[in-house]
């Protein structure tokens, strides 16, 4: 399929993997004297937009931080509303994802999600599993520290039964024991709402990601801002600790 690039973006230096911390739904609603849930509902529209932009621009991997392990500590009413919204989103978007060649995947402690969400997630993942245009990964009930703890437990279990030697553990193996084993590390991480922290998101995987913070609240995030962040990314020099022009 043809890619459609906005002016000023070059096709050859696009990030392969963009990860977004979608923050600011609550503040968006508060500014309008609305319930926080209204902000989450509006945020779902921004998800649709950014997924479409990735398919248009030809970005092959997009990870969206939608719900953290810490978010379970929010009031039950808000958690229930978020889970209901997620269920409806997955149900309503499945056809469109399929039509646009999007493969849906998810990372996180998925067993903690309500049955209804898991059912819709499984259906959408099964239906879209052969798509190749964009891999959309939803981080749901995701926390980087819990992912790292699980990795250590699993690797040490393998060592204990003699399948691997402790000395064989290397960076590649660690990556293979994370939820993200099938994805490249994010090239670009975007966080909306002006907060400048990672909030337990992909701590291992973001070792060399370019990070971009914007004041925009997630429900207001749109394609033109996304394109201008990608432009900024293309102008950055990624050195990975090396000296490029000695
Ligand atoms: C992000 O928006 C969505 C989730 C974390 C689920 P918030 O709900 O964190 O919105 P703010 O940060 O309170 O504005
Ligand atoms: C991070 O946002 C998690 C998601 C966007 C899903 P939070 O709003 O939960 O993070 P903090 O509390 O501001 O760090
Ligand atoms: Mg927040």
């Amino acid at each position: 399929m043809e890619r459609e690039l906005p002016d000023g973006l070059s096709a050859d230096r696009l990030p392969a993997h963009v990860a977004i911390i979608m923050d600011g739904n609550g503040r968006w609603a508060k500014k309008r004297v609305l319930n926080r849930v209204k902000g989450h509902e509006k945020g779902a529209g921004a998800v649709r937009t950014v997924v479409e932009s990735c398919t248009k621009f030809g970005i092959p991997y997009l990870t969206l931080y939608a719900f953290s392990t810490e978010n379970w500590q929010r009031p039950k009413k808000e958690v229930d509303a978020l889970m209901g919204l997620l269920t409806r989103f997955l149900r309503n978007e499945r056809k469109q994802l399929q039509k646009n060649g999007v493969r849906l995947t998810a990372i996180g402690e998925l067993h903690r999600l309500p049955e209804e969400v898991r059912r819709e997630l499984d259906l959408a993942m099964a239906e879209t599993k052969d798509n190749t245009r964009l891999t959309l990964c939803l981080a749901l009930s995701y926390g980087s520290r819990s992912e790292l703890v699980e990795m250590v437990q699993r690797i040490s279990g393998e060592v204990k039964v003699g399948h691997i030697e402790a000395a064989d553990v290397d960076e590649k193996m660690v990556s293979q024991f994370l939820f993200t084993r099938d994805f490249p590390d994010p090239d670009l991480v975007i966080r909306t709402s002006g907060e400048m922290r990672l909030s337990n998101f992909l701590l291992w995987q973001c070792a060399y990601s370019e990070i971009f913070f914007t004041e925009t609240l997630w429900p207001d995030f749109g394609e033109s801002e996304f394109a201008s962040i990608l432009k900024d990314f293309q102008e950055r020099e990624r050195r990975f600790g090396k000296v490029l022009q000695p």
Side-chain angles (χ1 to χ4, degrees), residues 53-108:
S53 301
C54 285
T55 57
K56 282 206 294 199
F57 302 167
I59 292 172
Y61 292 91
L62 173 68
T63 297
L64 298 176
Y65 200 11
F67 194 85
S68 72
T69 46
E70 289 74 27
N71 289 152
W72 289 114
Q73 295 165 55
R74 293 191 178 193
K76 184 174 181 320
K77 256 193 159 159
E78 182 172 345
V79 171
D80 288 349
L82 275 165
M83 293 301 145
L85 186 63
L86 187 56
T87 307
R88 290 195 300 282
F89 180 85
L90 292 166
R91 193 178 292 147
N92 297 338
E93 294 303 307
R94 200 168 75 217
K95 277 209 170 62
Q96 196 60 30
L97 293 174
Q98 180 64 2
K99 195 169 147 221
N100 288 342
V102 180
R103 172 172 74 119
L104 184 77
T105 63
I107 56 172

Side-chain angles (χ1 to χ4, degrees), residues 137-177:
C137 174
L138 297 181
L140 298 171
S141 185
Y142 175 84
S144 198
R145 287 188 166 186
S146 97
E147 177 184 38
L148 292 168
V149 167
E150 195 188 307
M151 173 273 293
V152 173
Q153 286 174 342
R154 289 180 48 222
I155 291 185
S156 51
E158 293 292 311
V159 171
K160 194 168 170 218
V161 296
H163 288 165
I164 49 178
E165 300 272 338
D168 294 336
V169 179
D170 59 8
E171 292 185 11
K172 201 166 158 215
M173 189 186 292
V174 167
S175 297
Q176 285 306 307
F177 277 82

